[in-house]
Amino acid sequence: MESIVKVVGLSHHYTTQWAVRDVNFEISSHGVVGLLGSNGAGKSTTMNIICGVLNQTEGDIFIKDINLRENPVEAKKHVGFLPQRPPVYGDLNVEEYLTYCAELRLMAKEQIPTAVEEAMKRCGILHFRRRLIRNLSGGYQQRVGIAQAIVHKPEFVVLDEPTNGLDPNQIVEIRELIKEIATDRAVLLSTHILSEVQATCQQIIMIEHGNIVFKGSIAEFDNYIEPNSFMVELATPPAKEELGKIDGISQVEQLSPTRFRLTFDKKKETMKKFVSKAVSSGWGLSECVLQKVSLDEIFAELSGKREKGVQR
């Protein structure tokens, strides 16, 4: 499959400090890829380079097999970019602004009216076409920002913190819009908010300290750290100390008179032994659920990895 985006050996430094170092990844299909990382991890530098806003110190970016450094005008025709602050002009109305953006993207004049109409319709702002942008709410200004990123029908769209500063209802609407536009193009969504990734993305690239520390699917991210505890509900539980004597259980935490969290060493063997013991002892086992590691714990674990050798 032809790559939509290919990043090879990307490195960049400001004065003596490396912002990103030897970053490599490839996006080959439609859908939403989350660029995850804490503040200062190198996300913005990576995005600015991919979008042609910043020239990298080392490495190459290929957009639809076009080298961005060697042929920037042609490569950028395939890229749409929404910075963290939408680059909108308050004194223009929505249609004027999107027409101006289409012209900046060197679209053929005869294609622009139809392209602007389609972008407004797709982003749900058609009824605001004559409204001055400064008179729109934050949520609708963000929709205008997304519309300018897709007006020229790029195969690749980069969105930097697109729900930042929006209220809960606006966040849900923008998430749905992002998923909708990703049905026929690749979207790279930058965020440090785990719930954003979980709600929107299919794949994750995580950057910390300028290095990639994780690449994979949401499911692989969820299971990055093996669970080491399970929750049980017992109608007639024994003494807490007796539960701790079961082979493989290292810690017992009583959460209520009938509910316990058991920490184990070997998942499958320990859970089987516990269930067998509970049934034979008549403890009234009604629930035994493996407790997944939270996204926050996984994020914290990955955030501590500084070496390039942790790339997966």
Side-chain angles (χ1 to χ4, degrees), residues 189-207:
L189 169 67
S190 166
T191 184
H192 63 276
I193 303 171
L194 292 171
S195 58
E196 195 77 50
V197 170
Q198 200 171 29
T200 315
C201 304
Q202 292 85 46
Q203 299 286 321
I204 294 176
I205 299 166
M206 183 171 173
I207 294 180

Side-chain angles (χ1 to χ4, degrees), residues 81-89 97 100-101 105 133 145 148:
F81 183 32
L82 174 66
Q84 192 168 348
R85 293 183 179 180
V88 293
Y89 297 110
Y97 170 68
Y100 171 63
C101 291
R105 267 58 177 263
I133 292 175
Q148 66 79 27

Side-chain angles (χ1 to χ4, degrees), residues 233-238 254-260:
E233 184 80 29
L234 304 170
T236 54
Q254 187 163 2
L255 305 175
S256 75
T258 60
R259 193 167 181 82
F260 299 83

Side-chain angles (χ1 to χ4, degrees), residues 234 272-286:
L234 304 170
K272 285 179 181 177
K273 288 176 182 176
F274 172 79
V275 171
S276 178
K277 177 70 173 175
V279 171
S280 63
S281 302
W283 292 341
L285 176 64
S286 60

Side-chain angles (χ1 to χ4, degrees), residues 2 6 25 66 81 92 130 181 267 283 298:
E2 182 189 28
K6 189 173 183 179
F25 64 86
I66 303 167
F81 183 32
L92 297 179
R130 307 292 186 212
I181 68 171
K267 180 173 66 176
W283 292 341
I298 297 169

Side-chain angles (χ1 to χ4, degrees), residues 225-230 250 262-265 267 290-291 293:
I225 301 176
E226 282 288 322
N228 68 342
S229 65
F230 57 98
S250 57
L262 308 179
T263 302
F264 55 80
D265 299 323
K267 180 173 66 176
L290 188 65
Q291 191 171 36
V293 179

